Amino acid sequence: MPSMPGVCVCVRVAVRTRSRPHPRPCPHSRQRRDRCSAGRSTGVAALLAAALGCGAAAAHKVTLLLPADDPRLARAAIERAAPGHPQGKVQDALRIALAEAQPELAAAGTKLDLAVLEVADATAARAAAVAAEKAGASALVTDLPAAWTLAAAEAVQVIVLNAGQAADALREAQCRRNLLHLAPSERMKADALSQFLVARRWSNVLLLTGAAEADAARSAAVLASIRRYGLKLVAHKRFLLSADPRERDLANPLLLTGAAAGTYDVVWVVDSDGEFAMSLPFRTALPRPVVGDAGLAALAWSAKFERYGAPQVTRRLSKAVGRPMSAHDWPAWMAGKALAAAAIATPKGPPATFAKALAELELDGSKGVLMSFRPWDGQLRQPLLLSDGHGVAALAPLEGVLHPKNNLDALGADAPEKLCKART
C-alpha cells in the first residue's frame, strides 16, 4: 500500500495596509485579467508560506526489519495455521496503521516514511540497524528471531519496537533500554491460560513439551505461571516427532496421556512448530480439554473477537490484502499506531525526544482499555484473547484477577521480580 504524502498546515493571515491607490488593472481580455489575478494570489501565498516556514512536512524515518526467506511463511506453515503463527508479512498491518493515522499526521505537519528491509542473519540485522540509524531513522520495527532482534537493538541508540518475538529473555536477562515490545511475552500468554484454568477449577495439569530448544524456554514460562497461580503439575512429558519407527511412541497421544500420566484436568501442550499440537485435541486418553499451542490459546488478537471495534480492525486488513488480521499482525499494527502517536507528539526533534514520547504513550488497541509500556521491561501492557480459533472464550486478565497498581500487570513478569537489569 503506497504511503500518503504529508501536508503542511499553514495559517491564514489577514494583513491591514494603509490606504493606497488601487493597483493597475490587468489590461485587455478577461483571460489575461484572470492570469494576472492568479499570479498576484500565487505570489502572496508564496510570501506568506515563506514567512511562516511552511514547506515540506517534517518526516520521521522508520525501518522495518524482516527475515529473508522466512520459514514461518512457507506454504505448509501457513496452511497449518497454528495459533499465533504468521499468516503473512507484518508490513501489511504496519502500513495500514500508518495510513489510518495520516490525517492526524498531516494536521501535525509531520509524516512517517517507512522502509522495509530483509536480513539474512543476526550480523545482517546489526548492519541494517546501524545503516538505518546513520540515515536518520527515528525508530526501528523488527519481526526477527530473538538473537537477531537483540543484535539490532545492541547496535543502535534509537528505539527498537519488537513486533514479533515473544521470548521472555528479551524482557529479562537480554533486555535493553531502547527495546520495547508490542508482541506479548510467553510468560504473559502462560499467565492468561493459568487464570482461565483457575477460574474453571481445572487445577491438575499434564504438560507436554516438544524437543525444540524454543520449547524448553517456553515450558519454563508455563512452569513459572503454574506456580504463580497455584496449579498442580501432575506430570511433565516430552514428545518427539520422528521418522524413526523406534521413536514412534514418543509422539503417540494415547500413550503420552495414558495411565502413567496420572489424573489430570487439562493437557497443556508446548509445540513451537505446531504439527504435533494440532493433532492432540480429541486424541487424549482421558476426555480432557487441551490448551497452549492447540485447543485454547492465549493470543494478542483473534479475527473472531467482536467487541470494542475489533471487527472493523480485522476487516481493514482483509480489504487491503485479502486476509484477516491475525495474532501476529496485531503487534505490528500497534507499532504503527505507537509510531504515529509519537510523531504527532513530537513532529520535530531528535530521536531521543521521539523515543521518550513513545515510552510514555497510552494507546487504544481495540481491546477495551488504554495500554502503556512497562518501565521495568519495556513490555506493552495488554489484554490477551483466549480463543480456540472459532470464538473467543475469555479476555485476560479475567474478571476478579486484581493487581495493586494495574490489573494488566497480572499478565507477565511483575516489577518486584526485577528480571531486567538494564532498566533498574
Side-chain angles (χ1 to χ4, degrees):
M1 178 182 295
S3 60
M4 299 176 66
V7 177
C8 177
V9 179
C10 295
V11 181
R12 182 174 295 171
V13 180
V15 181
R16 289 187 178 180
T17 62
R18 295 180 181 178
S19 177
R20 64 180 65 181
H22 290 291
R24 182 179 178 182
C26 290
H28 308 302
S29 69
R30 177 181 296 177
Q31 183 177 8
R32 293 186 62 183
R33 289 198 300 271
D34 291 343
R35 285 201 302 266
C36 184
S37 298
R40 272 203 297 266
S41 299
T42 302
V44 172
L47 288 172
L48 286 174
L52 295 172
C54 181
H60 286 287
K61 296 180 180 179
V62 177
T63 299
L64 170 63
L65 299 181
L66 301 174
D69 300 321
D70 191 345
R72 300 172 303 171
L73 299 180
R75 180 176 177 179
I78 291 179
E79 289 177 347
R80 189 179 300 135
H85 284 221
Q87 292 296 295
K89 292 187 176 181
V90 298
Q91 66 196 56
D92 299 328
L94 177 56
R95 283 178 167 151
I96 285 175
L98 297 183
E100 290 170 351
Q102 180 55 39
E104 292 177 273
L105 289 167
T110 188
K111 62 180 179 178
L112 285 163
D113 290 339
L114 176 65
V116 180
L117 298 177
E118 294 188 351
V119 295
D121 52 31
T123 301
R126 176 185 293 272
V130 170
E133 184 177 46
K134 288 182 178 178
S138 297
L140 305 178
V141 182
T142 63
D143 180 23
L144 299 172
W148 303 15
T149 302
L150 180 61
E154 288 181 330
V156 296
Q157 297 296 316
V158 297
I159 207 76
V160 178
L161 297 178
N162 165 30
Q165 242 322 309
D168 288 294
L170 292 176
R171 286 94 168 156
E172 299 174 359
Q174 297 176 351
C175 69
R176 295 296 181 267
R177 293 192 66 84
N178 64 329
L179 186 57
L180 298 178
H181 308 279
L182 284 304
S185 68
E186 295 294 351
R187 178 77 178 273
M188 290 173 68
K189 292 187 282 187
D191 283 347
L193 285 171
S194 289
Q195 290 177 15
F196 187 81
L197 299 187
V198 169
R200 298 305 303 269
R201 299 183 181 179
W202 297 340
S203 302
N204 299 313
V205 179
L206 168 60
L207 179 59
L208 303 182
T209 301
E213 182 178 351
D215 291 338
R218 296 178 65 224
S219 288
V222 173
L223 293 171
S225 183
I226 286 174
R227 291 191 296 269
R228 182 180 192 178
Y229 286 96
L231 300 171
K232 181 181 179 181
L233 182 69
V234 298
H236 185 184
K237 294 191 171 188
R238 301 297 197 276
F239 65 84
L240 176 65
L241 290 177
S242 173
D244 189 336
R246 295 169 296 181
E247 297 177 328
R248 187 176 302 157
D249 291 347
L250 297 179
N252 187 317
L254 287 176
L255 293 177
L256 289 167
T257 62
T263 302
Y264 50 89
D265 300 316
V266 62
V267 179
W268 195 324
V269 58
V270 177
D271 180 13
S272 298
D273 179 69
E275 184 175 351
F276 170 80
M278 298 300 285
S279 67
L280 189 60
F282 307 106
R283 297 182 64 196
T284 56
L286 296 179
R288 298 293 185 266
V290 174
V291 302
D293 286 324
L296 192 69
L299 303 171
W301 192 256
S302 169
K304 303 298 182 180
F305 191 42
E306 296 181 347
R307 300 172 64 187
Y308 309 121
Q312 290 86 342
V313 175
T314 294
R315 282 197 291 269
R316 287 172 203 156
L317 192 64
S318 298
K319 184 177 180 180
V321 297
R323 61 181 177 85
M325 183 172 290
S326 70
H328 195 75
D329 293 309
W330 184 87
W333 180 71
M334 282 302 297
K337 288 177 68 71
L339 290 167
I344 292 166
T346 58
K348 298 179 181 179
T353 304
F354 186 82
K356 185 176 185 296
L358 262 174
E360 296 174 352
L361 289 174
E362 286 191 328
L363 300 166
D364 173 29
S366 293
K367 290 186 183 181
V369 296
L370 289 177
M371 295 171 277
S372 58
F373 291 101
R374 292 172 180 154
W376 60 86
D377 62 1
Q379 174 66 57
L380 181 70
R381 299 176 172 100
Q382 58 186 276
L384 294 182
L385 283 60
L386 301 179
S387 174
D388 64 349
H390 301 286
V392 175
L395 195 66
L398 269 70
E399 186 176 355
V401 177
L402 303 177
H403 186 274
K405 295 183 179 180
N406 188 326
N407 286 348
L408 291 178
D409 290 335
L411 300 176
D414 205 353
E417 297 181 58
K418 297 181 179 179
L419 300 175
C420 173
K421 304 302 182 185
R423 287 179 169 267
T424 55

